[in-house]
Amino acid sequence: MDGKTKLCGLIGNPVEHTKSPLIHKTIANRMEHNLDYAPFLVQEGELEIAIKGAHALNVWGLNVTVPYKSEVIKYLREIDSYAKRIGAVNTLVRMENGYKGYNTDYEGLYRAMRSEDIDIQGKDVILLGAGGSARAIAHMCAKYKAKRLFICNRNLHKAQEIKDSIDDGVRDNEYSEIEVYVVSMKDCADISTEKSIAIQATSVGLYPNVDEVVVSTPQFYEKLEAAVDIIYAPSETLFMKHAKAAGANTMNGIKMLIFQAIVAYELINQCSVNEEIVQELVRIIE
Ligand code: ATR
């Protein structure tokens, strides 16, 4: 570091296990940017002062993780329209009088899927889960023109809330027409579709519970063209194993993690990152 180093960082709680410093510093090295990146542990009740302090200390950009992705919105100067609809922000870009908030999770997953030749445009997507990650992914499906979206969850109320937020986006002409259905998780194998793309966005199957899977019915997997799990530890989940055995293309969440960081880096530094770095980042992180 020297007097001209731009300092970026991550705010959240906890932050000890984050891969963000490694990813951002690797990109900065490759881009020959004088930039450093630090994890900042922010205690409950101290988010506002943390954001104001970061701005006062000339912190160049921030990522935001659990549990502050929604709460941070009220401390922003501006918010991107998609992040506002999703109701969660994971990237803060410095402006003169504060930060502008973005959500790079949905764009990260979209670019990760495109890099594996998985395209949701005009396709049926079965989304498993209705938590914070699923919400961003559902909006990705609307933005990038999936034909039908089936949101499957145990708690139907949460799935319905996501459907309502997408229907609002259609009404406001932010999204073109998309049919959204709410489905109980136990009925997800009965969805009538062929060659669909399933995106697994629950926490089921996450290390150390590697023998768990959210759907075990074989018919569910037979209909899939591609199956995406946003989990990256383990690198092949039981969900992916079932899908692969049924002949679907599979991918895990490592590239989503990398691309959400790349999109954040691009927004914070107003640049374009060459995607050749992705393979290097996959090697470093795995
Ligand atoms: P994240 O921010 O990672 O999305 P989250 O908001 O806590 O995490 O959401 C977790 C998701 O995993 C939810 O969809 C949750 O389902 P419910 O809303 O019905 O609780 C889902 N999930 C967690 N454990 C599950 C289980 N054993 N079976 C089915 N779904 C599960």
Side-chain angles (χ1 to χ4, degrees), residues 66 69 128-135 152-156 158-159 185 200-204 212-214 230:
V66 177
K69 286 183 173 188
L128 303 173
S133 309
R135 192 175 166 101
C152 308
N153 205 41
R154 282 184 313 195
N155 177 337
L156 287 177
K158 278 161 71 179
M185 189 64 92
Q200 200 304 107
T202 75
S203 44
V204 183
E212 293 180 4
V213 64
V214 72
I230 69 164

Coordinates of all heavy atoms in Angstrom, one line a residue, residues 66 69 128-135 152-156 158-159 185 200-204 212-214 230, ligand 1:
V66 N -24.1 -10.9 4.6 CA -25.1 -11.2 5.7 C -24.6 -10.5 7.0 O -23.4 -10.6 7.3 CB -25.1 -12.7 5.9 CG1 -26.0 -13.1 7.1 CG2 -25.6 -13.4 4.6
K69 N -27.5 -7.0 4.0 CA -27.8 -6.7 2.5 C -29.1 -5.9 2.4 O -29.2 -5.2 1.4 CB -27.9 -8.0 1.8 CG -26.6 -8.7 1.5 CD -26.8 -9.9 0.6 CE -25.5 -10.5 0.2 NZ -25.7 -11.6 -0.8
L128 N -35.6 -23.6 -6.9 CA -35.8 -24.3 -5.7 C -35.3 -23.3 -4.6 O -34.1 -23.1 -4.4 CB -35.0 -25.6 -5.6 CG -35.4 -26.6 -6.8 CD1 -34.5 -27.8 -6.7 CD2 -36.8 -27.0 -6.7
G129 N -36.3 -22.9 -3.7 CA -35.9 -22.0 -2.6 C -36.6 -20.6 -2.9 O -36.9 -20.2 -4.0
A130 N -36.8 -19.9 -1.7 CA -37.4 -18.6 -1.8 C -36.7 -17.7 -0.7 O -37.4 -16.8 -0.2 CB -38.9 -18.6 -1.7
G131 N -35.5 -17.9 -0.5 CA -34.7 -17.0 0.5 C -34.1 -15.8 -0.2 O -34.5 -15.5 -1.4
G132 N -33.2 -15.2 0.4 CA -32.5 -14.0 -0.2 C -31.9 -14.3 -1.5 O -32.0 -13.5 -2.5
S133 N -31.1 -15.4 -1.7 CA -30.5 -15.7 -2.9 C -31.5 -16.0 -4.0 O -31.4 -15.5 -5.2 CB -29.6 -16.9 -2.8 OG -28.7 -16.8 -1.7
A134 N -32.5 -16.8 -3.7 CA -33.5 -17.1 -4.7 C -34.2 -15.9 -5.2 O -34.6 -15.8 -6.4 CB -34.6 -18.1 -4.0
R135 N -34.4 -14.9 -4.3 CA -35.1 -13.7 -4.8 C -34.4 -13.0 -5.9 O -34.9 -12.5 -6.9 CB -35.3 -12.8 -3.5 CG -36.3 -11.6 -3.8 CD -36.5 -10.9 -2.5 NE -37.1 -9.6 -2.8 CZ -38.4 -9.3 -2.7 NH1 -39.2 -10.2 -2.2 NH2 -38.9 -8.2 -3.0
C152 N -40.3 -22.8 -6.2 CA -40.7 -23.9 -5.3 C -40.1 -23.7 -3.9 O -38.9 -23.4 -3.8 CB -40.2 -25.3 -5.8 SG -40.6 -25.6 -7.5
N153 N -41.0 -23.8 -2.9 CA -40.5 -23.6 -1.5 C -41.4 -24.3 -0.5 O -42.5 -24.6 -0.8 CB -40.4 -22.1 -1.2 CG -39.4 -21.8 -0.1 OD1 -38.3 -22.3 -0.1 ND2 -39.7 -20.9 0.8
R154 N -40.8 -24.6 0.7 CA -41.6 -25.2 1.7 C -42.6 -24.1 2.2 O -43.8 -24.3 2.3 CB -40.7 -25.5 3.0 CG -40.0 -26.8 2.9 CD -39.2 -27.0 4.2 NE -38.5 -25.8 4.7 CZ -37.6 -25.8 5.6 NH1 -37.2 -26.9 6.1 NH2 -37.0 -24.7 6.0
N155 N -42.1 -22.9 2.5 CA -42.9 -21.8 2.9 C -43.4 -21.0 1.7 O -42.7 -20.3 1.1 CB -42.0 -20.9 3.8 CG -42.7 -19.7 4.3 OD1 -43.7 -19.2 3.7 ND2 -42.1 -19.1 5.4
L156 N -44.7 -21.3 1.4 CA -45.3 -20.7 0.2 C -45.4 -19.2 0.2 O -45.4 -18.5 -0.8 CB -46.7 -21.3 0.0 CG -46.7 -22.8 -0.5 CD1 -48.1 -23.3 -0.6 CD2 -45.9 -22.9 -1.8
K158 N -43.3 -17.1 1.3 CA -42.1 -16.4 0.8 C -42.0 -16.5 -0.7 O -41.6 -15.5 -1.4 CB -40.9 -17.1 1.5 CG -40.6 -16.5 2.8 CD -39.7 -17.4 3.7 CE -38.3 -17.4 3.3 NZ -37.5 -18.3 4.2
A159 N -42.4 -17.6 -1.3 CA -42.4 -17.7 -2.7 C -43.4 -16.8 -3.4 O -43.2 -16.1 -4.4 CB -42.8 -19.2 -3.1
M185 N -42.8 -27.1 -2.3 CA -41.5 -27.9 -2.6 C -41.9 -29.4 -2.8 O -41.3 -30.1 -3.7 CB -40.5 -27.7 -1.5 CG -39.2 -28.3 -1.7 SD -38.4 -27.5 -3.1 CE -37.4 -26.3 -2.3
Q200 N -30.9 -24.5 -7.9 CA -31.0 -24.9 -6.6 C -30.5 -23.8 -5.7 O -29.3 -23.6 -5.6 CB -30.2 -26.2 -6.4 CG -30.5 -27.1 -5.2 CD -30.4 -26.4 -3.8 OE1 -31.4 -26.2 -3.2 NE2 -29.2 -26.2 -3.4
A201 N -31.4 -23.1 -5.0 CA -31.0 -22.0 -4.2 C -31.4 -22.1 -2.7 O -31.6 -21.1 -2.0 CB -31.6 -20.7 -4.8
T202 N -31.6 -23.4 -2.2 CA -31.8 -23.6 -0.8 C -30.4 -23.9 -0.2 O -29.4 -24.1 -0.9 CB -32.7 -24.8 -0.5 OG1 -32.0 -26.0 -0.7 CG2 -34.0 -24.7 -1.3
S203 N -30.4 -24.0 1.1 CA -29.1 -24.3 1.8 C -29.0 -25.8 2.0 O -28.0 -26.3 2.6 CB -29.1 -23.6 3.2 OG -30.4 -23.8 3.8
V204 N -29.9 -26.6 1.4 CA -29.8 -28.1 1.6 C -28.7 -28.7 0.7 O -28.7 -28.4 -0.5 CB -31.2 -28.7 1.2 CG1 -31.1 -30.2 1.5 CG2 -32.3 -28.1 2.0
E212 N -27.5 -34.6 1.9 CA -28.9 -34.1 1.8 C -29.1 -33.5 0.4 O -28.3 -32.9 -0.2 CB -29.1 -33.1 2.9 CG -29.1 -33.7 4.3 CD -29.3 -32.7 5.4 OE1 -29.6 -31.5 5.1 OE2 -29.2 -33.1 6.6
V213 N -30.4 -33.6 0.0 CA -30.8 -33.0 -1.3 C -32.3 -32.6 -1.1 O -33.1 -33.3 -0.4 CB -30.6 -34.0 -2.4 CG1 -31.5 -35.3 -2.3 CG2 -30.9 -33.4 -3.8
V214 N -32.6 -31.5 -1.7 CA -33.9 -30.9 -1.5 C -35.0 -31.7 -2.2 O -36.2 -31.7 -1.8 CB -33.9 -29.4 -1.8 CG1 -33.8 -29.1 -3.3 CG2 -35.1 -28.7 -1.2
I230 N -26.3 -23.3 -6.5 CA -25.5 -22.1 -6.1 C -24.6 -22.4 -5.0 O -23.7 -21.6 -4.6 CB -26.4 -20.9 -5.8 CG1 -27.2 -21.0 -4.5 CG2 -27.3 -20.5 -7.0 CD1 -27.7 -19.7 -4.0
Ligands
ATR1 P1 -30.1 -17.4 1.5 O1 -29.9 -16.0 1.8 O2 -28.8 -18.2 1.3 O3 -31.0 -17.6 0.3 P2 -32.2 -18.0 3.4 O4 -32.8 -16.7 3.0 O5 -32.1 -18.4 4.8 O6 -30.7 -18.1 2.7 O7 -33.0 -19.1 2.5 C1 -32.8 -20.5 2.7 C2 -33.7 -21.2 1.7 O8 -33.5 -22.6 1.9 C3 -35.2 -21.0 1.9 O9 -35.9 -21.2 0.7 C4 -35.6 -22.2 2.8 O10 -36.9 -22.7 2.7 P3 -38.1 -22.0 3.7 O11 -38.3 -20.6 3.3 O12 -39.3 -22.9 3.5 O13 -37.5 -22.1 5.1 C5 -34.7 -23.3 2.2 N1 -34.5 -24.4 3.1 C6 -33.6 -24.5 4.1 N2 -33.7 -25.7 4.7 C7 -34.5 -26.5 4.0 C8 -35.0 -27.8 4.0 N3 -34.5 -28.7 5.0 N4 -35.9 -28.2 3.1 C9 -36.4 -27.4 2.1 N5 -35.9 -26.1 2.0 C10 -35.1 -25.6 2.9

